[in-house]
Amino acid sequence: MRSEPLRLALKAECDNWKNVYATCLNQRVKNDMNDLIEFINEMSKKLGRNITDLDDVRNAMSALSKMREAEIKVDMTIGPVEEAYAMLSRHDCHVMREEVENVDTLQYRWTKVLSQSHKVQNHLLTIQPNFRKDLVNNITVYRAQYDDFVGDYDGKGPMELGISPQEASERVSIFQVKFDDMWQKY
């Protein structure tokens, strides 16, 4: 009895299963890797901006907060992605060269952005006293402008007795513009 055709058919079926499994695994880890690369690049851009005003401080702190929240997830994702690509390579499954290069530099990119975050954090600690002084001054100015705005609105606003509806509407528009300016400033 000849079993060679059966053996070849089973080997071909196993190879097909291996290829389907490898393709599905490759797609899943490729998506995970692309998500990581996108996150790392986004954080690198946000942390790479110069800090010149309070909005920049807020943006940097937001990026640092996102990094702290995602740090464990990123660390727990990098290892399995690297292992999956190593397994695909070990079993001679087709993987695009670009993906292999990306997975090889993934840990380096993450370490680099972590280092960048530590530098930004230290820089924020260095410039904190100046920005705090500016913030306190801005709060004082804001309170004075707020008191002036409320006083003007109460005394000369649309609720003043004896004015026409058209005049009240114009005053609403004027005070809305003043309010919007204050909202953008502070």
Side-chain angles (χ1 to χ4, degrees), residues 34-49 59 62-63 66-67 113 116:
N34 287 339
D35 290 345
L36 286 173
I37 289 171
E38 182 180 326
F39 177 75
I40 290 170
N41 289 341
E42 178 187 348
M43 290 299 107
S44 181
K45 285 179 188 175
K46 287 183 178 183
L47 293 172
R49 294 182 182 145
N59 290 335
S62 172
K66 283 182 184 177
M67 283 197 56
V113 80
Q116 186 180 13

Side-chain angles (χ1 to χ4, degrees), residues 70-85:
E71 188 169 4
I72 292 173
K73 181 183 176 202
V74 170
D75 283 337
M76 291 181 71
T77 305
I78 288 176
V81 167
E82 290 175 336
E83 289 173 11
Y85 275 101

Side-chain angles (χ1 to χ4, degrees), residues 26 29-30 33-34 37 81-90 92-109:
N26 186 13
V29 295
K30 180 181 176 183
M33 180 181 62
N34 287 339
I37 289 171
V81 167
E82 290 175 336
E83 289 173 11
Y85 275 101
M87 183 176 67
L88 290 171
S89 175
R90 189 173 48 247
D92 298 323
C93 298
H94 175 70
V95 179
M96 293 180 61
R97 182 166 179 78
E98 178 184 341
E99 292 177 43
V100 173
E101 290 172 0
N102 282 338
V103 81
D104 286 343
T105 62
L106 197 57
Q107 186 67 45
Y108 171 74
R109 288 178 183 186

Side-chain angles (χ1 to χ4, degrees), residues 5-183:
L6 177 63
R7 188 182 72 78
L8 291 175
L10 288 174
K11 183 172 180 347
E13 191 64 29
C14 286
D15 286 343
N16 284 338
W17 284 355
K18 181 178 91 170
N19 289 335
V20 169
Y21 179 78
T23 301
C24 291
L25 178 64
N26 186 13
Q27 188 60 41
R28 187 180 65 95
V29 295
K30 180 181 176 183
N31 290 339
D32 289 346
M33 180 181 62
N34 287 339
D35 290 345
L36 286 173
I37 289 171
E38 182 180 326
F39 177 75
I40 290 170
N41 289 341
E42 178 187 348
M43 290 299 107
S44 181
K45 285 179 188 175
K46 287 183 178 183
L47 293 172
R49 294 182 182 145
N50 287 334
I51 299 175
T52 58
D53 59 13
L54 287 174
D55 283 335
D56 295 335
V57 170
R58 182 181 49 79
N59 290 335
M61 290 179 70
S62 172
L64 290 171
S65 177
K66 283 182 184 177
M67 283 197 56
R68 270 193 308 276
E69 291 171 5
E71 188 169 4
I72 292 173
K73 181 183 176 202
V74 170
D75 283 337
M76 291 181 71
T77 305
I78 288 176
V81 167
E82 290 175 336
E83 289 173 11
Y85 275 101
M87 183 176 67
L88 290 171
S89 175
R90 189 173 48 247
H91 292 285
D92 298 323
C93 298
H94 175 70
V95 179
M96 293 180 61
R97 182 166 179 78
E98 178 184 341
E99 292 177 43
V100 173
E101 290 172 0
N102 282 338
V103 81
D104 286 343
T105 62
L106 197 57
Q107 186 67 45
Y108 171 74
R109 288 178 183 186
W110 178 240
T111 305
K112 187 176 174 182
V113 80
L114 280 175
S115 174
Q116 186 180 13
S117 74
H118 293 299
K119 288 177 184 175
V120 168
Q121 204 168 19
N122 289 335
H123 180 65
L124 286 173
L125 288 173
T126 303
I127 62 174
Q128 178 185 6
N130 295 334
F131 279 106
R132 181 179 176 164
K133 187 173 67 173
D134 290 345
L135 179 62
V136 169
N137 290 339
N138 286 342
I139 289 172
T140 305
V141 170
Y142 169 75
R143 283 186 179 154
Q145 288 183 351
Y146 171 78
D147 290 340
D148 291 344
F149 177 81
V150 169
D152 285 348
Y153 187 83
D154 289 342
K156 303 173 194 168
M159 302 300 285
E160 186 178 352
L161 296 176
I163 61 170
S164 67
Q166 183 179 359
E167 177 69 22
S169 177
E170 289 173 5
R171 288 183 184 186
V172 166
S173 297
I174 291 170
F175 279 99
Q176 184 64 47
V177 169
K178 287 181 181 180
F179 176 81
D180 290 342
D181 288 345
M182 284 180 59
W183 186 263

